[in-house]
Amino acid sequence: MSNTWLLTKLFLKNGTSEGSGKKANRRSRLTAMFFLITIGGLPLLYFISKGVYTTYPFLKAMGQEGLLTLSILSIMTLVTLVFGILTVIMYFYFSSDVEILLPLPILPRQIVAAKLITVIIMQYAVEALILLPVLINYGVAAHLGSSYYVTVLILFILLPMVPLVISLLVTMLLMRFINIGKNKERIRLIVGIFGLASAYLMKNLFDYLPGASYLSNSGLALQSSLFAKLSSFIVSLRFGDAALQEAGTLKGWLYLFLFVAISIAFAVLAFFVADRLYFKGLLGLQNTGATRKTLNKNELTSTLQQRSIIRSYFVKDMRILLRTTPFLLYGVGRSLLVPAIAVGSVIMNYGLIMEGNEFSLQDVPLAYQSLLLSAFVFAVIFMGTVNTMGTTPLTREGKNAMFMKYIPVSYTKQLFAKVLPTVLFNSLNILAVTIIAWLFKMPLLLMIEGIILCSLVIIFSSLTGLILDLHSPSLDWDNEYTAVRPGLKILTNLALSLLSGSFMLLFLKVTVMPLTAFVSIFIVYLVLIVLLLLYLKVNAQKLMHRLM
Amino acid sequence: MITFSHVTKSYNGKRKAVDDLHLTVNGGEVFGFLGPNGAGKTTTIKMLTGITDIDEGSIEINGYNITSDSMKAKRSFGYVPDSPDMFLRLKGLEYLNFMGDIYKVPKSLRQERISSLASAFDLESALGDHIQSYSHGMRQKVMVMGALLHDPDVWILDEPLTGLDPKAAFELKKMMRDHANKGKTVFFSTHGLDVVEKLCDRVAIINKGQIVLTGTMDEIKGNFHQDDSLEKLFLEITKNE
């Protein structure tokens, strides 16, 4: 078997273990997770199907039905590009397995190929949730034949290739030049900031690129121009979309062939560059700088601070989060990136949105205020649960989790301290949504109610994330990226948060009074949080004893 | 003082990793725990420190049961795990300060102890650096410092001398002896038979989960040929039947 396939199998095996423990227990945990994801994901699938069926006739009447497929392909490509940079830096450069691979007789292109295949396969989970439902529903709505679905399958398989290779090429080039200094700690910090900044810039880059708008309709111009620019920048995207539109015809097959050919050409280019640049950017990167300077009495006194156990635990966790590149990029980075992109996008397009119609939430009728409140909370639910910070507090400890068991601190106290970084970083989402709400002149009272409810939502989702991780921690990782890569737990936590949000919709059905809705939702979340805390108090000992 | 009372632990409900272990380690003793790989040493130490639960029997540390009175039991010992690769992203001093907070060591006392331990282990110039930059031996030293910071009565050390340079190994052995001489307890596992011969007051040899021999060096040698080395005795006792 070739080295590439051997490595791919190894990476997939290491990267896909969801929790440790007995086989039977793991199976039942996985079944429970799938069940929750299905229940929680049903509303999402319902909204996607309803969205496609409602939009399709409207767009078809305008002869613009192709916008649906172009939009979803563009969104997937954009998401892969934005988060691809972070994934590539972490998985190709800062994962500890590269130290083991370097002394082995393996070519750089073989490592890069195996890692690229692994990342693409992981990307399929996101595609299966969003891309497939839209494309399949589109096919059904447009009564398309089997050749359309063959095209969908090939697009599904190859779509992440080009954006990931672009991220990989940019990273390989930059790492070659960044990794020449001796201070590796500083390099790590630079790379971390670079990763976050490029992910953010990647999103905003397309706002500046020239490109013809697909639509002249003002309502759709904002979205369509972004997608048009993206497809003019990533040529394979244009061919992929054309293959879908012309599926079944000779032209369609030709477009599909071009899409496949470009994707393969990009992969070959990545391997070619990898042979020349990958190892040069990698060598010595895992080393840590040391000053070996004896601290004087003053320095010793200032570092040795006596803190409460919870505060000390929190400080320790924060230091590890901020100093471990994969944790910084995937945990902290994502929690900073999502609100930054949300606020950035609104601010950059603010003029366009407000143009002509002076859009304001100030005068929203009473009947819609509760709905507005729930939109505020749902935005925070989505933004706060799409990072892996909340679902990996124990997993991130890895083999260090053993430490938690022999120190004289109760498990409840330790677990409580471990939730605090999640609460802190996810609170940034509240800030982001509040800024957006303020920009659109949401009534002050409603905004305060939203902030209070969102604080409870953040605590709720942080606790559910912790409990999920406590039930199914993956402590045996030998690669920090594996610890924080998105997995089933993040989807399960999102499903749980969405389920809690559906209670909210129930109250909105019963009352239109925003204050009544606020009080009711507040009480529901408070009760849920108390129940989760009680659950932790009662079960912490039992669950912690199952670890290791 | 440590008391193991008929302790049993099995994995998957089948294989007994530790079988009816009954042992007392007295105050004032340096106690060596020997056995071949997979004999049950680490499982015993994990049960002793509360990392793994006990299937049958009980363990007491200074009179506190590790299961029912775990907080008091844990406060009375300092533990050095077999792998020192922990908290690599923290600086040495940050780790020690964290341990000081966990064991509630007052600021003035922790500063004094860190200085004296760092001097004994020759680690003064490395405390401001990340543990990740340390060699294996330096990591081991900082773990030992963290375990001893709160001056526990009972020391539980899992292969503590692995990777230490001669000076640090000498210092640690001296500290173990001094600690026992104060009437306190040192329980450690090792593969270094020469260390056991020179340092330990009593020894237990575990094989296939069962204690096969306990006693002072003289008692053990008395059961065999007096002139045989501990290595020869060990190989004879633990050979596969």
Side-chain angles (χ1 to χ4, degrees), chain A residues 294-335:
Chain A
T294 306
L295 302 175
N296 61 37
K297 205 175 173 189
N298 284 344
E299 288 169 321
L300 208 63
T301 314
S302 66
T303 312
L304 292 177
Q305 303 267 333
Q306 196 166 350
R307 302 183 180 104
S308 71
I309 289 175
I310 288 194
R311 199 170 149 218
S312 190
Y313 220 99
F314 170 72
V315 171
K316 185 259 302 174
D317 271 3
M318 287 297 287
R319 281 181 172 144
I320 293 175
L321 262 172
L322 297 173
R323 290 176 187 170
T324 312
T325 317
F327 296 174
L328 175 72
L329 287 178
Y330 241 61
V332 180
R334 276 198 171 206
S335 12

Short mmCIF file of all heavy atoms in Angstrom, two decimals, chain A residues 294-335:
data_model
loop_
_atom_site.label_atom_id
_atom_site.label_comp_id
_atom_site.label_asym_id
_atom_site.label_seq_id
_atom_site.Cartn_x
_atom_site.Cartn_y
_atom_site.Cartn_z
N THR A 294 17.87 33.24 35.22
CA THR A 294 17.44 33.10 36.61
C THR A 294 16.61 34.32 37.02
O THR A 294 17.02 35.45 36.79
CB THR A 294 18.67 32.98 37.54
OG1 THR A 294 19.47 31.90 37.06
CG2 THR A 294 18.26 32.70 38.98
N LEU A 295 15.45 34.05 37.58
CA LEU A 295 14.57 35.16 37.96
C LEU A 295 15.07 35.76 39.27
O LEU A 295 15.47 35.03 40.19
CB LEU A 295 13.14 34.65 38.15
CG LEU A 295 12.50 33.96 36.93
CD1 LEU A 295 11.13 33.40 37.30
CD2 LEU A 295 12.34 34.95 35.78
N ASN A 296 15.05 37.08 39.35
CA ASN A 296 15.44 37.70 40.61
C ASN A 296 14.26 37.70 41.58
O ASN A 296 13.15 37.28 41.22
CB ASN A 296 15.99 39.12 40.39
CG ASN A 296 14.95 40.03 39.76
OD1 ASN A 296 13.77 39.93 40.08
ND2 ASN A 296 15.38 40.90 38.87
N LYS A 297 14.51 38.15 42.81
CA LYS A 297 13.49 38.04 43.85
C LYS A 297 12.20 38.79 43.48
O LYS A 297 11.09 38.30 43.73
CB LYS A 297 14.06 38.58 45.17
CG LYS A 297 13.35 37.96 46.34
CD LYS A 297 13.96 38.36 47.65
CE LYS A 297 13.07 37.82 48.77
NZ LYS A 297 13.45 38.32 50.05
N ASN A 298 12.38 39.95 42.83
CA ASN A 298 11.20 40.75 42.45
C ASN A 298 10.35 40.03 41.42
O ASN A 298 9.12 40.00 41.50
CB ASN A 298 11.65 42.10 41.88
CG ASN A 298 12.08 43.04 42.98
OD1 ASN A 298 11.78 42.80 44.15
ND2 ASN A 298 12.81 44.09 42.61
N GLU A 299 11.05 39.46 40.41
CA GLU A 299 10.31 38.72 39.37
C GLU A 299 9.58 37.52 39.97
O GLU A 299 8.45 37.21 39.59
CB GLU A 299 11.29 38.26 38.28
CG GLU A 299 11.80 39.39 37.39
CD GLU A 299 12.96 38.98 36.51
OE1 GLU A 299 13.83 38.22 36.96
OE2 GLU A 299 12.99 39.44 35.35
N LEU A 300 10.26 36.87 40.91
CA LEU A 300 9.67 35.70 41.57
C LEU A 300 8.43 36.12 42.36
O LEU A 300 7.36 35.50 42.26
CB LEU A 300 10.73 35.11 42.51
CG LEU A 300 10.65 33.62 42.81
CD1 LEU A 300 10.85 32.80 41.56
CD2 LEU A 300 11.72 33.23 43.84
N THR A 301 8.56 37.23 43.09
CA THR A 301 7.43 37.70 43.91
C THR A 301 6.26 38.10 43.04
O THR A 301 5.11 37.82 43.37
CB THR A 301 7.88 38.92 44.78
OG1 THR A 301 9.12 38.60 45.36
CG2 THR A 301 6.86 39.23 45.85
N SER A 302 6.55 38.76 41.90
CA SER A 302 5.43 39.23 41.07
C SER A 302 4.74 38.06 40.37
O SER A 302 3.53 38.09 40.13
CB SER A 302 5.91 40.25 40.04
OG SER A 302 6.77 39.63 39.13
N THR A 303 5.46 36.98 40.05
CA THR A 303 4.82 35.83 39.40
C THR A 303 4.04 34.99 40.40
O THR A 303 2.99 34.45 40.09
CB THR A 303 5.88 34.94 38.70
OG1 THR A 303 6.72 35.77 37.93
CG2 THR A 303 5.24 33.91 37.79
N LEU A 304 4.60 34.88 41.60
CA LEU A 304 3.94 34.03 42.60
C LEU A 304 2.79 34.78 43.27
O LEU A 304 2.97 35.50 44.25
CB LEU A 304 4.95 33.58 43.65
CG LEU A 304 6.02 32.60 43.14
CD1 LEU A 304 7.01 32.27 44.23
CD2 LEU A 304 5.39 31.33 42.60
N GLN A 305 1.63 34.65 42.68
CA GLN A 305 0.42 35.30 43.22
C GLN A 305 -0.46 34.24 43.85
O GLN A 305 -0.66 33.19 43.24
CB GLN A 305 -0.37 35.93 42.06
CG GLN A 305 0.39 36.92 41.23
CD GLN A 305 0.20 38.33 41.73
OE1 GLN A 305 -0.83 38.63 42.33
NE2 GLN A 305 1.17 39.19 41.47
N GLN A 306 -0.98 34.54 45.02
CA GLN A 306 -1.90 33.57 45.62
C GLN A 306 -3.32 33.87 45.15
O GLN A 306 -3.81 34.99 45.30
CB GLN A 306 -1.82 33.63 47.15
CG GLN A 306 -2.45 32.42 47.79
CD GLN A 306 -2.09 32.29 49.26
OE1 GLN A 306 -1.22 33.00 49.75
NE2 GLN A 306 -2.76 31.39 49.95
N ARG A 307 -3.96 32.86 44.55
CA ARG A 307 -5.31 33.06 44.01
C ARG A 307 -6.24 31.99 44.56
O ARG A 307 -5.78 30.95 45.05
CB ARG A 307 -5.31 32.93 42.48
CG ARG A 307 -4.40 33.89 41.76
CD ARG A 307 -4.56 33.69 40.26
NE ARG A 307 -3.71 34.59 39.52
CZ ARG A 307 -2.57 34.23 38.92
NH1 ARG A 307 -2.17 32.98 38.96
NH2 ARG A 307 -1.85 35.10 38.24
N SER A 308 -7.54 32.24 44.41
CA SER A 308 -8.50 31.20 44.80
C SER A 308 -8.36 30.05 43.81
O SER A 308 -7.84 30.24 42.69
CB SER A 308 -9.92 31.76 44.74
OG SER A 308 -10.27 31.96 43.39
N ILE A 309 -8.83 28.87 44.19
CA ILE A 309 -8.65 27.69 43.33
C ILE A 309 -9.33 27.91 41.98
O ILE A 309 -8.74 27.65 40.92
CB ILE A 309 -9.18 26.42 44.03
CG1 ILE A 309 -8.23 26.06 45.17
CG2 ILE A 309 -9.29 25.25 43.05
CD1 ILE A 309 -8.66 24.91 46.03
N ILE A 310 -10.56 28.42 41.98
CA ILE A 310 -11.29 28.60 40.72
C ILE A 310 -10.56 29.60 39.82
O ILE A 310 -10.40 29.38 38.62
CB ILE A 310 -12.75 29.03 41.00
CG1 ILE A 310 -13.49 27.83 41.56
CG2 ILE A 310 -13.43 29.57 39.74
CD1 ILE A 310 -14.96 27.90 41.60
N ARG A 311 -10.08 30.68 40.41
CA ARG A 311 -9.40 31.69 39.61
C ARG A 311 -8.08 31.13 39.05
O ARG A 311 -7.75 31.34 37.88
CB ARG A 311 -9.14 32.93 40.47
CG ARG A 311 -8.87 34.13 39.63
CD ARG A 311 -8.84 35.41 40.41
NE ARG A 311 -7.90 36.30 39.72
CZ ARG A 311 -7.07 37.11 40.32
NH1 ARG A 311 -7.05 37.18 41.63
NH2 ARG A 311 -6.25 37.86 39.63
N SER A 312 -7.38 30.40 39.88
CA SER A 312 -6.10 29.83 39.46
C SER A 312 -6.33 28.82 38.33
O SER A 312 -5.57 28.78 37.35
CB SER A 312 -5.46 29.13 40.66
OG SER A 312 -4.15 28.77 40.36
N TYR A 313 -7.36 28.02 38.46
CA TYR A 313 -7.71 27.02 37.44
C TYR A 313 -8.07 27.72 36.13
O TYR A 313 -7.66 27.30 35.05
CB TYR A 313 -8.93 26.23 37.96
CG TYR A 313 -8.84 24.76 37.65
CD1 TYR A 313 -8.43 23.85 38.62
CD2 TYR A 313 -9.18 24.26 36.40
CE1 TYR A 313 -8.35 22.51 38.34
CE2 TYR A 313 -9.10 22.92 36.12
CZ TYR A 313 -8.69 22.05 37.10
OH TYR A 313 -8.62 20.72 36.81
N PHE A 314 -8.85 28.80 36.27
CA PHE A 314 -9.27 29.58 35.09
C PHE A 314 -8.05 30.18 34.39
O PHE A 314 -7.90 30.09 33.17
CB PHE A 314 -10.25 30.67 35.55
CG PHE A 314 -10.59 31.68 34.48
CD1 PHE A 314 -11.41 31.33 33.41
CD2 PHE A 314 -10.10 32.98 34.54
CE1 PHE A 314 -11.71 32.26 32.42
CE2 PHE A 314 -10.40 33.91 33.56
CZ PHE A 314 -11.21 33.54 32.50
N VAL A 315 -7.14 30.77 35.18
CA VAL A 315 -5.92 31.37 34.61
C VAL A 315 -5.10 30.31 33.89
O VAL A 315 -4.61 30.50 32.78
CB VAL A 315 -5.09 32.07 35.72
CG1 VAL A 315 -3.73 32.50 35.19
CG2 VAL A 315 -5.84 33.27 36.27
N LYS A 316 -4.96 29.14 34.52
CA LYS A 316 -4.20 28.04 33.92
C LYS A 316 -4.82 27.63 32.58
O LYS A 316 -4.14 27.50 31.56
CB LYS A 316 -4.20 26.84 34.91
CG LYS A 316 -3.37 25.66 34.50
CD LYS A 316 -4.11 24.49 33.91
CE LYS A 316 -5.18 23.83 34.68
NZ LYS A 316 -5.90 22.80 33.94
N ASP A 317 -6.15 27.46 32.56
CA ASP A 317 -6.83 27.04 31.33
C ASP A 317 -6.70 28.10 30.23
O ASP A 317 -6.51 27.78 29.06
CB ASP A 317 -8.32 26.79 31.61
CG ASP A 317 -8.55 25.35 32.03
OD1 ASP A 317 -7.56 24.61 32.15
OD2 ASP A 317 -9.71 24.97 32.26
N MET A 318 -6.80 29.37 30.63
CA MET A 318 -6.68 30.45 29.65
C MET A 318 -5.28 30.48 29.04
O MET A 318 -5.11 30.68 27.84
CB MET A 318 -7.00 31.81 30.29
CG MET A 318 -8.46 32.03 30.61
SD MET A 318 -9.49 32.04 29.14
CE MET A 318 -9.07 33.59 28.42
N ARG A 319 -4.27 30.28 29.89
CA ARG A 319 -2.89 30.28 29.39
C ARG A 319 -2.70 29.16 28.38
O ARG A 319 -2.11 29.35 27.32
CB ARG A 319 -1.91 30.09 30.55
CG ARG A 319 -1.69 31.37 31.32
CD ARG A 319 -0.70 31.17 32.45
NE ARG A 319 -0.37 32.45 33.05
CZ ARG A 319 -0.14 32.63 34.34
NH1 ARG A 319 -0.24 31.60 35.18
NH2 ARG A 319 0.17 33.82 34.82
N ILE A 320 -3.22 27.98 28.70
CA ILE A 320 -3.06 26.84 27.79
C ILE A 320 -3.82 27.11 26.48
O ILE A 320 -3.32 26.84 25.39
CB ILE A 320 -3.52 25.53 28.47
CG1 ILE A 320 -2.56 25.22 29.62
CG2 ILE A 320 -3.57 24.37 27.48
CD1 ILE A 320 -2.93 24.04 30.48
N LEU A 321 -5.02 27.68 26.60
CA LEU A 321 -5.82 27.99 25.41
C LEU A 321 -5.10 28.96 24.48
O LEU A 321 -5.07 28.79 23.27
CB LEU A 321 -7.12 28.65 25.84
CG LEU A 321 -8.37 27.79 25.94
CD1 LEU A 321 -9.49 28.58 26.56
CD2 LEU A 321 -8.80 27.24 24.60
N LEU A 322 -4.51 29.98 25.07
CA LEU A 322 -3.90 31.04 24.27
C LEU A 322 -2.51 30.66 23.76
O LEU A 322 -2.04 31.23 22.79
CB LEU A 322 -3.83 32.35 25.06
CG LEU A 322 -5.19 32.93 25.46
CD1 LEU A 322 -5.03 34.12 26.38
CD2 LEU A 322 -6.00 33.34 24.24
N ARG A 323 -1.87 29.69 24.41
CA ARG A 323 -0.50 29.35 24.01
C ARG A 323 -0.40 28.11 23.13
O ARG A 323 0.65 27.80 22.61
CB ARG A 323 0.37 29.12 25.25
CG ARG A 323 0.65 30.39 26.02
CD ARG A 323 1.42 30.07 27.28
NE ARG A 323 1.55 31.25 28.12
CZ ARG A 323 2.01 31.21 29.36
NH1 ARG A 323 2.37 30.06 29.90
NH2 ARG A 323 2.12 32.32 30.06
N THR A 324 -1.49 27.38 22.98
CA THR A 324 -1.46 26.18 22.14
C THR A 324 -2.07 26.56 20.79
O THR A 324 -3.26 26.87 20.72
CB THR A 324 -2.29 25.05 22.80
OG1 THR A 324 -1.89 24.96 24.17
CG2 THR A 324 -2.07 23.72 22.12
N THR A 325 -1.24 26.57 19.74
CA THR A 325 -1.70 27.13 18.47
C THR A 325 -3.04 26.54 17.98
O THR A 325 -3.94 27.30 17.63
CB THR A 325 -0.62 26.99 17.39
OG1 THR A 325 0.63 27.33 17.97
CG2 THR A 325 -0.89 27.88 16.21
N PRO A 326 -3.21 25.20 17.93
CA PRO A 326 -4.51 24.69 17.48
C PRO A 326 -5.68 25.15 18.36
O PRO A 326 -6.75 25.45 17.86
CB PRO A 326 -4.35 23.17 17.57
CG PRO A 326 -2.90 22.94 17.46
CD PRO A 326 -2.26 24.10 18.16
N PHE A 327 -5.45 25.24 19.68
CA PHE A 327 -6.52 25.70 20.56
C PHE A 327 -6.80 27.18 20.28
O PHE A 327 -7.95 27.62 20.26
CB PHE A 327 -6.14 25.55 22.05
CG PHE A 327 -5.93 24.13 22.50
CD1 PHE A 327 -5.47 23.84 23.77
CD2 PHE A 327 -6.21 23.06 21.65
CE1 PHE A 327 -5.28 22.54 24.19
CE2 PHE A 327 -6.01 21.75 22.06
CZ PHE A 327 -5.54 21.50 23.33
N LEU A 328 -5.72 27.93 20.07
CA LEU A 328 -5.86 29.36 19.83
C LEU A 328 -6.64 29.60 18.53
O LEU A 328 -7.57 30.41 18.49
CB LEU A 328 -4.48 30.01 19.74
CG LEU A 328 -4.44 31.49 19.37
CD1 LEU A 328 -4.95 32.33 20.53
CD2 LEU A 328 -3.04 31.96 19.01
N LEU A 329 -6.26 28.85 17.48
CA LEU A 329 -6.89 29.09 16.19
C LEU A 329 -8.32 28.55 16.12
O LEU A 329 -9.22 29.21 15.63
CB LEU A 329 -6.05 28.46 15.08
CG LEU A 329 -4.75 29.18 14.75
CD1 LEU A 329 -4.00 28.44 13.67
CD2 LEU A 329 -5.01 30.60 14.30
N TYR A 330 -8.49 27.32 16.62
CA TYR A 330 -9.80 26.69 16.43
C TYR A 330 -10.79 27.02 17.54
O TYR A 330 -11.96 27.21 17.29
CB TYR A 330 -9.64 25.18 16.28
CG TYR A 330 -10.15 24.71 14.95
CD1 TYR A 330 -9.58 25.19 13.79
CD2 TYR A 330 -11.20 23.82 14.84
CE1 TYR A 330 -10.04 24.80 12.56
CE2 TYR A 330 -11.67 23.42 13.61
CZ TYR A 330 -11.08 23.90 12.47
OH TYR A 330 -11.55 23.52 11.25
N GLY A 331 -10.29 27.06 18.78
CA GLY A 331 -11.19 27.35 19.89
C GLY A 331 -11.40 28.85 20.03
O GLY A 331 -12.47 29.38 19.73
N VAL A 332 -10.33 29.54 20.40
CA VAL A 332 -10.42 30.99 20.61
C VAL A 332 -10.70 31.69 19.28
O VAL A 332 -11.57 32.55 19.19
CB VAL A 332 -9.10 31.53 21.22
CG1 VAL A 332 -9.19 33.03 21.44
CG2 VAL A 332 -8.79 30.82 22.51
N GLY A 333 -9.95 31.29 18.24
CA GLY A 333 -10.06 31.95 16.94
C GLY A 333 -11.47 31.95 16.39
O GLY A 333 -12.00 32.98 15.99
N ARG A 334 -12.09 30.78 16.41
CA ARG A 334 -13.45 30.71 15.88
C ARG A 334 -14.41 31.55 16.71
O ARG A 334 -15.32 32.16 16.17
CB ARG A 334 -13.92 29.26 15.85
CG ARG A 334 -13.48 28.54 14.61
CD ARG A 334 -14.29 27.30 14.40
NE ARG A 334 -13.99 26.73 13.09
CZ ARG A 334 -14.82 25.98 12.41
NH1 ARG A 334 -16.00 25.71 12.89
NH2 ARG A 334 -14.49 25.50 11.24
N SER A 335 -14.20 31.56 18.04
CA SER A 335 -15.13 32.35 18.85
C SER A 335 -14.93 33.84 18.63
O SER A 335 -15.84 34.62 18.87
CB SER A 335 -15.05 32.02 20.34
OG SER A 335 -13.96 31.25 20.65
#
